[in-house]
């Protein structure tokens, strides 16, 4: 296959290019899409995994993808699934980079507005619960798989398009917060210390939501890029796992 990457992170793009996957260090825009199409021809497939929810101009991104696709081309994307977020309390997926939390009912309408058609939608366990969607140009040659209708029916049955489910989510979140506060207070009263395991980006959301900034003494992480630094906001020290943890 002829493969071309697009990634605005210049160092990552350079590493990819050096490893044999040519990658343009830029954001995907309509002008860039037209230039890629001119230089390389239309795309049989455009993939956006764990990035589609990050765009602050999602419509512009989709227009660029539509411009890139060949008449029979496919757009394949993976996004966190809103139903999993609210049912499984996936708080860690809610943070500054994730500007959208997708469900299929608005996704179908959104793609249609941008002259694309969702033809397949499969749930998986990525990031605690995601959907891999496949779209073609509007009126394309492929029929719509039953998986799309099944997820639309599931969302309707769960009330994902109505405010009640989010009010329940807020109530469960408050209950969880109360339980965590009581647990940590009891542990500290008994002379215990609390440490965090893994300085993940999503951990900041959990620490902030659960008021753990003044409760966690250290966070351990095996990444040298994170050691001897501090968590954002609460400035919890990050250290190397090892004997010092005892």
């Amino acid at each position: 296959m002829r493969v071309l990457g697009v990634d605005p992170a210049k160092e990552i793009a350079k590493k990819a290019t050096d490893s044999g996957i040519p990658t343009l260090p830029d954001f995907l825009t309509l002008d860039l899409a037209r230039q890629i199409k001119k230089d390389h021809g239309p795309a049989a497939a455009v993939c956006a995994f764990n990035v589609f929810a990050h765009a602050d101009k999602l419509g512009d991104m989709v227009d660029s993808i539509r411009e890139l696709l060949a008449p029979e081309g496919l757009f394949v994307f993976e996004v966190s699934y809103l139903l999993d977020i609210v049912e499984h309390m996936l708080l860690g997926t809610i943070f500054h980079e994730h500007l959208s939390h997708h469900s299929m009912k608005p996704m179908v309408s959104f793609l249609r507005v941008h002259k694309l058609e969702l033809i397949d939608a499969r749930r998986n366990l990525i990031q605690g619960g995601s959907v891999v969607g496949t779209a073609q140009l509007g009126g394309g040659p492929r029929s719509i798989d039953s998986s799309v209708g099944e997820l639309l029916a599931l969302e309707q049955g769960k009330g994902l398009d109505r405010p009640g489910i989010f009010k329940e989510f807020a109530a469960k979140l408050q209950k969880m917060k109360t339980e965590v506060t009581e647990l940590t207070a009891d542990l500290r009263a008994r002379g215990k210390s609390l440490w965090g395991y893994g300085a993940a980006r999503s951990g900041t959301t959990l620490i902030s939501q659960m008021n753990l900034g003044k409760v966690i003494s250290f966070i351990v992480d095996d990444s040298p890029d994170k050691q001897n630094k501090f968590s954002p906001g609460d400035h919890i020290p990050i250290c190397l796992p090892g004997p010092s943890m005892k």
Side-chain angles (χ1 to χ4, degrees):
M1 293 183 181
R2 290 188 298 124
V3 178
L4 180 69
V6 179
D7 196 306
K10 290 179 172 56
E11 290 186 14
I12 292 175
K14 184 179 184 303
K15 287 181 180 180
T17 299
D18 292 344
S19 71
I21 303 173
T23 301
L24 301 177
D26 208 342
F27 287 97
L28 182 60
T29 64
L30 194 55
D31 287 341
L32 181 60
R34 287 168 177 158
Q35 188 62 49
I36 291 172
K37 193 173 181 179
K38 179 181 177 182
D39 295 341
H40 302 277
V46 175
C47 299
F49 274 58
N50 195 25
V51 69
F52 196 44
H54 298 59
D56 56 355
K57 296 181 179 179
L58 199 58
D60 291 351
M61 176 184 278
V62 173
D63 288 340
S64 304
I65 291 167
R66 187 190 68 239
E67 176 67 25
L68 276 172
L69 285 178
E72 296 186 2
L74 293 173
F75 170 44
V76 185
F77 59 92
E78 174 264 320
V79 292
S80 292
Y81 190 33
L82 181 60
L83 183 59
D84 287 315
I85 292 174
V86 297
E87 286 197 333
H88 304 302
M89 303 296 291
L90 302 179
L91 306 185
T93 195
I94 303 172
F95 59 98
H96 69 290
E97 287 184 0
H98 289 170
L99 302 178
S100 303
H101 302 280
H102 294 287
S103 58
M104 291 305 100
K105 181 177 180 179
M107 177 65 75
V108 168
S109 300
F110 171 74
L111 291 174
R112 185 184 298 120
V113 167
H114 292 273
K115 301 178 182 178
L116 291 172
E117 181 178 36
L118 187 68
I119 60 171
D120 195 278
R122 306 296 175 102
R123 298 178 75 179
N124 59 68
L125 298 178
I126 297 172
Q127 301 285 338
S130 298
V131 170
V132 173
T134 303
Q136 65 179 356
L137 296 176
R142 297 171 181 83
S143 59
I144 299 176
D145 187 80
S146 61
S147 58
V148 175
E150 289 167 2
L151 279 190
L152 291 175
L154 176 65
E155 292 177 5
Q156 183 176 12
K158 295 283 187 177
L160 197 58
D161 59 347
R162 296 186 293 276
I165 192 170
F166 301 103
K167 291 179 179 178
E168 292 175 8
F169 176 82
K172 288 192 291 185
L173 178 58
Q174 186 57 50
K175 182 175 182 291
M176 180 186 296
K177 188 174 182 177
T178 299
E179 292 172 349
V180 169
T181 299
E182 292 173 351
L183 174 62
T184 55
D186 177 65
L187 290 171
R188 296 182 77 187
R190 291 191 280 125
K192 305 292 184 180
S193 64
L194 282 81
W195 290 47
Y197 179 71
R201 58 188 184 177
S202 54
T204 304
T205 301
L206 296 174
I207 290 170
S208 176
Q209 186 64 45
M210 298 297 162
N211 291 331
L212 296 174
K214 305 301 182 185
V215 176
I216 296 176
S217 302
F218 295 92
I219 300 174
V220 297
D221 197 292
D222 60 4
S223 171
D225 293 334
K226 298 179 181 180
Q227 293 158 10
N228 300 315
K229 294 184 174 65
F230 300 87
S231 70
D234 297 295
H235 301 149
I236 303 170
I238 301 170
C239 62
L240 172 70
S244 61
M245 293 172 58
K246 296 181 180 179

